[in-house]
Amino acid sequence: MYAVIETGGKQYKVAKNDIILVEKLAAKKGGEVKLNTVLMVKDGNSLHIGNPHVKGSHVVCEVLGMIRQDKVVAFKYKKRKSEKKKIGHRQNVLKLKVKEIEAGKGS
């Protein structure tokens, strides 16, 4: 069984016991997060596709903690102008472990 969920403007294909990194959510370490924006659920031979979401379905995840991703460096340079600018950014992400996928009926 797997599902396609949407959170933080991105889509993730998840199955039970998968570990995913998502955009920062309001959750504490050791708690649970219920993600309701399920786009598709595949359970054996049955396939539920939402329009845009599958009604009555959700994914329950355990919060493993907040981490920071690797630094992304943006280097801006203009030739013959003696202008250089180096900018770095580290994004905060939430590490989740999928505990349960609840399949509802497709719309």
Short mmCIF file of all heavy atoms in Angstrom, two decimals, residues 49-103:
data_model
loop_
_atom_site.label_atom_id
_atom_site.label_comp_id
_atom_site.label_asym_id
_atom_site.label_seq_id
_atom_site.Cartn_x
_atom_site.Cartn_y
_atom_site.Cartn_z
N ILE A 49 -8.18 7.65 -6.74
CA ILE A 49 -7.61 8.90 -7.21
C ILE A 49 -8.55 10.02 -6.82
O ILE A 49 -9.75 9.96 -7.09
CB ILE A 49 -7.38 8.89 -8.73
CG1 ILE A 49 -6.39 7.77 -9.08
CG2 ILE A 49 -6.86 10.23 -9.21
CD1 ILE A 49 -6.19 7.57 -10.55
N GLY A 50 -8.01 11.06 -6.19
CA GLY A 50 -8.83 12.17 -5.73
C GLY A 50 -9.10 13.20 -6.80
O GLY A 50 -8.46 13.23 -7.84
N ASN A 51 -10.06 14.07 -6.49
CA ASN A 51 -10.41 15.13 -7.42
C ASN A 51 -10.63 16.42 -6.64
O ASN A 51 -11.76 16.81 -6.46
CB ASN A 51 -11.65 14.74 -8.22
CG ASN A 51 -11.97 15.73 -9.31
OD1 ASN A 51 -11.16 16.57 -9.64
ND2 ASN A 51 -13.17 15.63 -9.85
N PRO A 52 -9.67 17.13 -6.12
CA PRO A 52 -8.23 16.89 -6.17
C PRO A 52 -7.71 15.99 -5.06
O PRO A 52 -6.61 15.46 -5.14
CB PRO A 52 -7.65 18.28 -6.00
CG PRO A 52 -8.61 18.98 -5.12
CD PRO A 52 -9.97 18.44 -5.51
N HIS A 53 -8.48 15.79 -3.96
CA HIS A 53 -8.03 14.96 -2.84
C HIS A 53 -8.97 13.77 -2.66
O HIS A 53 -10.15 13.85 -2.98
CB HIS A 53 -7.98 15.78 -1.54
CG HIS A 53 -7.19 17.03 -1.65
ND1 HIS A 53 -5.84 17.04 -1.94
CD2 HIS A 53 -7.54 18.33 -1.53
CE1 HIS A 53 -5.40 18.29 -1.98
NE2 HIS A 53 -6.43 19.10 -1.74
N VAL A 54 -8.43 12.69 -2.09
CA VAL A 54 -9.23 11.50 -1.80
C VAL A 54 -9.98 11.77 -0.50
O VAL A 54 -9.37 12.02 0.53
CB VAL A 54 -8.36 10.24 -1.67
CG1 VAL A 54 -9.21 9.03 -1.38
CG2 VAL A 54 -7.53 10.04 -2.93
N LYS A 55 -11.30 11.71 -0.55
CA LYS A 55 -12.12 12.02 0.62
C LYS A 55 -12.00 10.91 1.66
O LYS A 55 -11.99 9.73 1.32
CB LYS A 55 -13.59 12.18 0.23
CG LYS A 55 -13.84 13.41 -0.60
CD LYS A 55 -15.29 13.55 -0.95
CE LYS A 55 -15.51 14.77 -1.81
NZ LYS A 55 -16.88 14.88 -2.28
N GLY A 56 -11.89 11.31 2.92
CA GLY A 56 -11.86 10.36 4.02
C GLY A 56 -10.54 9.65 4.21
O GLY A 56 -10.45 8.72 5.00
N SER A 57 -9.50 10.04 3.52
CA SER A 57 -8.21 9.38 3.68
C SER A 57 -7.19 10.34 4.29
O SER A 57 -7.28 11.55 4.14
CB SER A 57 -7.69 8.85 2.34
OG SER A 57 -7.46 9.91 1.46
N HIS A 58 -6.24 9.76 5.02
CA HIS A 58 -5.20 10.55 5.65
C HIS A 58 -3.98 9.66 5.90
O HIS A 58 -4.07 8.43 5.83
CB HIS A 58 -5.69 11.18 6.95
CG HIS A 58 -6.15 10.19 7.96
ND1 HIS A 58 -7.44 9.73 7.99
CD2 HIS A 58 -5.50 9.55 8.96
CE1 HIS A 58 -7.57 8.85 8.97
NE2 HIS A 58 -6.40 8.72 9.57
N VAL A 59 -2.86 10.32 6.18
CA VAL A 59 -1.62 9.62 6.50
C VAL A 59 -1.16 10.11 7.87
O VAL A 59 -1.06 11.31 8.10
CB VAL A 59 -0.53 9.90 5.43
CG1 VAL A 59 0.79 9.28 5.82
CG2 VAL A 59 -0.97 9.38 4.08
N VAL A 60 -0.91 9.17 8.78
CA VAL A 60 -0.44 9.51 10.12
C VAL A 60 1.07 9.28 10.16
O VAL A 60 1.55 8.21 9.80
CB VAL A 60 -1.14 8.64 11.18
CG1 VAL A 60 -0.62 8.98 12.57
CG2 VAL A 60 -2.65 8.83 11.11
N CYS A 61 1.80 10.33 10.60
CA CYS A 61 3.26 10.27 10.65
C CYS A 61 3.75 10.58 12.06
O CYS A 61 3.15 11.40 12.76
CB CYS A 61 3.88 11.27 9.69
SG CYS A 61 3.44 11.00 7.98
N GLU A 62 4.85 9.95 12.44
CA GLU A 62 5.51 10.24 13.71
C GLU A 62 6.62 11.26 13.44
O GLU A 62 7.38 11.12 12.49
CB GLU A 62 6.10 8.96 14.29
CG GLU A 62 6.87 9.16 15.57
CD GLU A 62 7.56 7.89 16.03
OE1 GLU A 62 7.36 6.83 15.42
OE2 GLU A 62 8.33 7.98 16.99
N VAL A 63 6.73 12.27 14.31
CA VAL A 63 7.74 13.31 14.15
C VAL A 63 9.05 12.82 14.77
O VAL A 63 9.11 12.53 15.96
CB VAL A 63 7.29 14.62 14.81
CG1 VAL A 63 8.37 15.67 14.66
CG2 VAL A 63 5.99 15.10 14.23
N LEU A 64 10.09 12.70 13.95
CA LEU A 64 11.40 12.27 14.43
C LEU A 64 12.28 13.44 14.83
O LEU A 64 13.27 13.25 15.53
CB LEU A 64 12.11 11.44 13.35
CG LEU A 64 11.39 10.16 12.92
CD1 LEU A 64 12.18 9.46 11.84
CD2 LEU A 64 11.17 9.24 14.11
N GLY A 65 11.95 14.64 14.39
CA GLY A 65 12.71 15.82 14.79
C GLY A 65 12.85 16.83 13.67
O GLY A 65 12.49 16.58 12.53
N MET A 66 13.40 17.98 14.05
CA MET A 66 13.65 19.08 13.11
C MET A 66 15.13 19.07 12.77
O MET A 66 15.97 18.99 13.66
CB MET A 66 13.26 20.41 13.77
CG MET A 66 13.39 21.59 12.87
SD MET A 66 12.10 21.72 11.65
CE MET A 66 10.68 22.02 12.66
N ILE A 67 15.44 19.11 11.49
CA ILE A 67 16.84 19.16 11.07
C ILE A 67 17.01 20.29 10.06
O ILE A 67 16.03 20.89 9.61
CB ILE A 67 17.33 17.82 10.45
CG1 ILE A 67 16.53 17.47 9.20
CG2 ILE A 67 17.24 16.71 11.47
CD1 ILE A 67 17.09 16.29 8.45
N ARG A 68 18.26 20.58 9.72
CA ARG A 68 18.55 21.58 8.70
C ARG A 68 19.23 20.90 7.53
O ARG A 68 20.12 20.08 7.71
CB ARG A 68 19.44 22.68 9.27
CG ARG A 68 18.73 23.44 10.40
CD ARG A 68 19.55 24.58 10.87
NE ARG A 68 19.34 25.68 9.93
CZ ARG A 68 20.05 26.79 9.95
NH1 ARG A 68 20.99 26.97 10.85
NH2 ARG A 68 19.81 27.74 9.08
N GLN A 69 18.80 21.24 6.33
CA GLN A 69 19.39 20.65 5.13
C GLN A 69 20.78 21.23 4.88
O GLN A 69 21.21 22.18 5.53
CB GLN A 69 18.49 20.90 3.93
CG GLN A 69 17.23 20.09 3.95
CD GLN A 69 16.42 20.28 2.69
OE1 GLN A 69 16.41 21.34 2.10
NE2 GLN A 69 15.70 19.24 2.29
N ASP A 70 21.46 20.65 3.90
CA ASP A 70 22.77 21.15 3.51
C ASP A 70 22.66 22.58 2.99
O ASP A 70 21.62 22.98 2.46
CB ASP A 70 23.39 20.27 2.42
CG ASP A 70 23.72 18.88 2.94
OD1 ASP A 70 23.90 18.73 4.16
OD2 ASP A 70 23.79 17.95 2.11
N LYS A 71 23.75 23.32 3.11
CA LYS A 71 23.76 24.71 2.67
C LYS A 71 23.71 24.80 1.14
O LYS A 71 24.42 24.08 0.44
CB LYS A 71 25.00 25.43 3.18
CG LYS A 71 25.03 26.91 2.81
CD LYS A 71 26.22 27.61 3.41
CE LYS A 71 25.86 28.04 4.79
NZ LYS A 71 26.81 29.02 5.34
N VAL A 72 22.87 25.70 0.66
CA VAL A 72 22.77 26.00 -0.76
C VAL A 72 23.44 27.37 -0.94
O VAL A 72 23.08 28.33 -0.27
CB VAL A 72 21.30 26.06 -1.23
CG1 VAL A 72 21.21 26.45 -2.68
CG2 VAL A 72 20.61 24.73 -0.99
N VAL A 73 24.42 27.44 -1.84
CA VAL A 73 25.17 28.67 -2.04
C VAL A 73 24.77 29.33 -3.35
O VAL A 73 24.74 28.67 -4.39
CB VAL A 73 26.69 28.40 -2.03
CG1 VAL A 73 27.47 29.65 -2.32
CG2 VAL A 73 27.11 27.80 -0.71
N ALA A 74 24.44 30.61 -3.27
CA ALA A 74 24.14 31.40 -4.46
C ALA A 74 25.27 32.43 -4.61
O ALA A 74 25.51 33.22 -3.70
CB ALA A 74 22.80 32.09 -4.33
N PHE A 75 25.95 32.41 -5.74
CA PHE A 75 27.06 33.32 -5.97
C PHE A 75 26.70 34.23 -7.13
O PHE A 75 26.48 33.77 -8.25
CB PHE A 75 28.34 32.54 -6.29
CG PHE A 75 29.56 33.41 -6.37
CD1 PHE A 75 30.15 33.91 -5.24
CD2 PHE A 75 30.11 33.73 -7.60
CE1 PHE A 75 31.28 34.70 -5.30
CE2 PHE A 75 31.23 34.53 -7.69
CZ PHE A 75 31.82 35.02 -6.54
N LYS A 76 26.60 35.51 -6.86
CA LYS A 76 26.26 36.49 -7.88
C LYS A 76 27.52 37.25 -8.26
O LYS A 76 28.27 37.70 -7.40
CB LYS A 76 25.19 37.45 -7.37
CG LYS A 76 23.89 36.75 -7.02
CD LYS A 76 22.87 37.71 -6.51
CE LYS A 76 21.60 36.96 -6.16
NZ LYS A 76 20.55 37.87 -5.70
N TYR A 77 27.72 37.42 -9.56
CA TYR A 77 28.95 38.03 -10.06
C TYR A 77 28.64 38.85 -11.30
O TYR A 77 27.91 38.41 -12.18
CB TYR A 77 29.95 36.91 -10.40
CG TYR A 77 31.21 37.38 -11.07
CD1 TYR A 77 32.22 37.98 -10.35
CD2 TYR A 77 31.40 37.19 -12.43
CE1 TYR A 77 33.39 38.40 -10.95
CE2 TYR A 77 32.55 37.61 -13.06
CZ TYR A 77 33.54 38.21 -12.31
OH TYR A 77 34.70 38.63 -12.91
N LYS A 78 29.19 40.06 -11.36
CA LYS A 78 29.07 40.88 -12.56
C LYS A 78 30.47 41.19 -13.06
O LYS A 78 31.27 41.78 -12.34
CB LYS A 78 28.31 42.18 -12.25
CG LYS A 78 26.87 41.93 -11.89
CD LYS A 78 26.07 43.18 -11.79
CE LYS A 78 24.64 42.86 -11.45
NZ LYS A 78 23.83 44.03 -11.26
N LYS A 79 30.73 40.78 -14.29
CA LYS A 79 32.07 40.95 -14.83
C LYS A 79 32.39 42.43 -15.06
O LYS A 79 31.52 43.24 -15.36
CB LYS A 79 32.22 40.16 -16.13
CG LYS A 79 31.27 40.56 -17.23
CD LYS A 79 31.45 39.67 -18.44
CE LYS A 79 30.49 40.07 -19.53
NZ LYS A 79 30.63 39.25 -20.71
N ARG A 80 33.64 42.75 -14.90
CA ARG A 80 34.19 44.10 -15.10
C ARG A 80 33.55 45.15 -14.20
O ARG A 80 33.67 46.33 -14.44
CB ARG A 80 34.09 44.52 -16.57
CG ARG A 80 34.93 43.64 -17.50
CD ARG A 80 34.95 44.17 -18.91
NE ARG A 80 33.64 44.23 -19.54
CZ ARG A 80 33.06 43.25 -20.20
NH1 ARG A 80 33.66 42.08 -20.30
NH2 ARG A 80 31.89 43.41 -20.75
N LYS A 81 32.83 44.77 -13.18
CA LYS A 81 32.21 45.74 -12.28
C LYS A 81 32.75 45.61 -10.86
O LYS A 81 32.35 46.37 -9.99
CB LYS A 81 30.68 45.51 -12.21
CG LYS A 81 29.98 45.57 -13.53
CD LYS A 81 29.87 46.98 -14.03
CE LYS A 81 29.01 46.98 -15.29
NZ LYS A 81 29.31 48.05 -16.17
N SER A 82 33.61 44.62 -10.63
CA SER A 82 34.17 44.36 -9.30
C SER A 82 33.04 44.13 -8.29
O SER A 82 33.10 44.60 -7.16
CB SER A 82 35.06 45.52 -8.86
OG SER A 82 35.66 45.23 -7.63
N GLU A 83 32.01 43.42 -8.75
CA GLU A 83 30.85 43.17 -7.89
C GLU A 83 30.67 41.67 -7.72
O GLU A 83 30.45 40.94 -8.68
CB GLU A 83 29.60 43.78 -8.53
CG GLU A 83 28.40 43.74 -7.65
CD GLU A 83 27.22 44.48 -8.26
OE1 GLU A 83 27.43 45.51 -8.92
OE2 GLU A 83 26.11 44.01 -8.08
N LYS A 84 30.79 41.20 -6.47
CA LYS A 84 30.61 39.79 -6.15
C LYS A 84 29.77 39.70 -4.88
O LYS A 84 29.91 40.53 -3.99
CB LYS A 84 31.95 39.11 -5.90
CG LYS A 84 32.82 38.99 -7.12
CD LYS A 84 34.10 38.31 -6.78
CE LYS A 84 35.17 39.36 -6.62
NZ LYS A 84 36.49 38.86 -6.40
N LYS A 85 28.92 38.70 -4.83
CA LYS A 85 28.08 38.51 -3.65
C LYS A 85 27.87 37.01 -3.44
O LYS A 85 27.41 36.31 -4.35
CB LYS A 85 26.74 39.20 -3.84
CG LYS A 85 25.89 39.28 -2.61
CD LYS A 85 24.58 39.95 -2.96
CE LYS A 85 24.16 40.91 -1.89
NZ LYS A 85 22.88 41.54 -2.20
N LYS A 86 28.21 36.51 -2.25
CA LYS A 86 28.04 35.10 -1.93
C LYS A 86 27.01 34.98 -0.81
O LYS A 86 27.16 35.56 0.25
CB LYS A 86 29.37 34.49 -1.47
CG LYS A 86 29.30 33.02 -1.21
CD LYS A 86 30.67 32.50 -0.84
CE LYS A 86 30.60 31.02 -0.52
NZ LYS A 86 31.91 30.51 -0.11
N ILE A 87 25.93 34.25 -1.11
CA ILE A 87 24.83 34.10 -0.17
C ILE A 87 24.62 32.62 0.10
O ILE A 87 24.58 31.81 -0.83
CB ILE A 87 23.52 34.70 -0.73
CG1 ILE A 87 23.71 36.16 -1.09
CG2 ILE A 87 22.37 34.54 0.25
CD1 ILE A 87 22.58 36.74 -1.88
N GLY A 88 24.45 32.24 1.37
CA GLY A 88 24.18 30.86 1.73
C GLY A 88 22.85 30.75 2.45
O GLY A 88 22.39 31.69 3.09
N HIS A 89 22.21 29.58 2.33
CA HIS A 89 20.91 29.35 2.96
C HIS A 89 20.79 27.89 3.38
O HIS A 89 21.15 26.99 2.63
CB HIS A 89 19.79 29.70 1.97
CG HIS A 89 18.43 29.37 2.48
ND1 HIS A 89 17.82 30.10 3.46
CD2 HIS A 89 17.57 28.37 2.17
CE1 HIS A 89 16.63 29.58 3.72
NE2 HIS A 89 16.46 28.53 2.95
N ARG A 90 20.30 27.67 4.60
CA ARG A 90 20.00 26.32 5.08
C ARG A 90 18.54 26.26 5.48
O ARG A 90 18.08 27.03 6.32
CB ARG A 90 20.87 25.96 6.29
CG ARG A 90 22.33 25.82 5.94
CD ARG A 90 23.13 25.36 7.10
NE ARG A 90 22.81 23.96 7.38
CZ ARG A 90 23.30 23.30 8.42
NH1 ARG A 90 24.09 23.90 9.28
NH2 ARG A 90 22.98 22.04 8.62
N GLN A 91 17.79 25.35 4.86
CA GLN A 91 16.36 25.24 5.07
C GLN A 91 16.06 24.33 6.27
O GLN A 91 16.65 23.26 6.40
CB GLN A 91 15.69 24.66 3.82
CG GLN A 91 14.19 24.59 3.87
CD GLN A 91 13.54 25.96 3.81
OE1 GLN A 91 14.07 26.86 3.19
NE2 GLN A 91 12.39 26.08 4.44
N ASN A 92 15.13 24.74 7.12
CA ASN A 92 14.65 23.89 8.22
C ASN A 92 13.61 22.93 7.67
O ASN A 92 12.67 23.33 7.00
CB ASN A 92 14.01 24.74 9.32
CG ASN A 92 15.02 25.60 10.04
OD1 ASN A 92 16.16 25.20 10.22
ND2 ASN A 92 14.60 26.77 10.45
N VAL A 93 13.79 21.64 7.96
CA VAL A 93 12.84 20.62 7.51
C VAL A 93 12.46 19.72 8.67
O VAL A 93 13.18 19.61 9.66
CB VAL A 93 13.40 19.77 6.34
CG1 VAL A 93 13.54 20.59 5.08
CG2 VAL A 93 14.69 19.10 6.71
N LEU A 94 11.33 19.06 8.54
CA LEU A 94 10.81 18.15 9.55
C LEU A 94 11.00 16.72 9.06
O LEU A 94 10.65 16.40 7.92
CB LEU A 94 9.33 18.45 9.77
CG LEU A 94 8.67 17.90 11.01
CD1 LEU A 94 9.30 18.51 12.26
CD2 LEU A 94 7.19 18.22 11.00
N LYS A 95 11.56 15.88 9.90
CA LYS A 95 11.79 14.48 9.55
C LYS A 95 10.63 13.66 10.09
O LYS A 95 10.35 13.66 11.29
CB LYS A 95 13.11 14.01 10.16
CG LYS A 95 13.62 12.71 9.66
CD LYS A 95 15.01 12.45 10.22
CE LYS A 95 15.62 11.22 9.62
NZ LYS A 95 16.97 10.98 10.14
N LEU A 96 9.89 12.99 9.18
CA LEU A 96 8.70 12.24 9.54
C LEU A 96 8.85 10.77 9.17
O LEU A 96 9.46 10.44 8.16
CB LEU A 96 7.47 12.79 8.80
CG LEU A 96 7.08 14.23 9.04
CD1 LEU A 96 5.91 14.60 8.14
CD2 LEU A 96 6.73 14.47 10.48
N LYS A 97 8.26 9.90 10.00
CA LYS A 97 8.19 8.47 9.69
C LYS A 97 6.72 8.10 9.54
O LYS A 97 5.91 8.36 10.43
CB LYS A 97 8.82 7.64 10.81
CG LYS A 97 8.79 6.16 10.53
CD LYS A 97 9.49 5.38 11.61
CE LYS A 97 9.48 3.90 11.25
NZ LYS A 97 10.15 3.11 12.29
N VAL A 98 6.35 7.51 8.41
CA VAL A 98 4.96 7.16 8.13
C VAL A 98 4.57 5.95 8.97
O VAL A 98 5.21 4.89 8.91
CB VAL A 98 4.77 6.86 6.62
CG1 VAL A 98 3.34 6.46 6.34
CG2 VAL A 98 5.18 8.05 5.79
N LYS A 99 3.52 6.12 9.78
CA LYS A 99 3.04 5.04 10.64
C LYS A 99 1.85 4.31 10.05
O LYS A 99 1.76 3.10 10.13
CB LYS A 99 2.64 5.59 12.01
CG LYS A 99 3.80 6.05 12.85
CD LYS A 99 3.36 6.69 14.14
CE LYS A 99 2.63 5.72 15.03
NZ LYS A 99 2.25 6.30 16.31
N GLU A 100 0.94 5.06 9.42
CA GLU A 100 -0.31 4.46 8.97
C GLU A 100 -0.86 5.23 7.77
O GLU A 100 -0.77 6.45 7.72
CB GLU A 100 -1.32 4.51 10.11
CG GLU A 100 -2.70 4.05 9.80
CD GLU A 100 -3.68 4.30 10.94
OE1 GLU A 100 -3.26 4.73 12.03
OE2 GLU A 100 -4.87 4.06 10.71
N ILE A 101 -1.41 4.50 6.82
CA ILE A 101 -2.10 5.11 5.68
C ILE A 101 -3.56 4.64 5.73
O ILE A 101 -3.83 3.44 5.66
CB ILE A 101 -1.46 4.71 4.34
CG1 ILE A 101 -0.01 5.19 4.29
CG2 ILE A 101 -2.26 5.27 3.17
CD1 ILE A 101 0.76 4.71 3.09
N GLU A 102 -4.46 5.59 5.87
CA GLU A 102 -5.89 5.28 5.93
C GLU A 102 -6.51 5.66 4.57
O GLU A 102 -6.47 6.82 4.17
CB GLU A 102 -6.56 6.07 7.04
CG GLU A 102 -8.03 5.82 7.19
CD GLU A 102 -8.37 4.42 7.65
OE1 GLU A 102 -7.59 3.86 8.45
OE2 GLU A 102 -9.38 3.89 7.17
N ALA A 103 -7.05 4.66 3.88
CA ALA A 103 -7.63 4.88 2.56
C ALA A 103 -9.13 5.13 2.68
O ALA A 103 -9.83 4.39 3.35
CB ALA A 103 -7.37 3.69 1.65
#
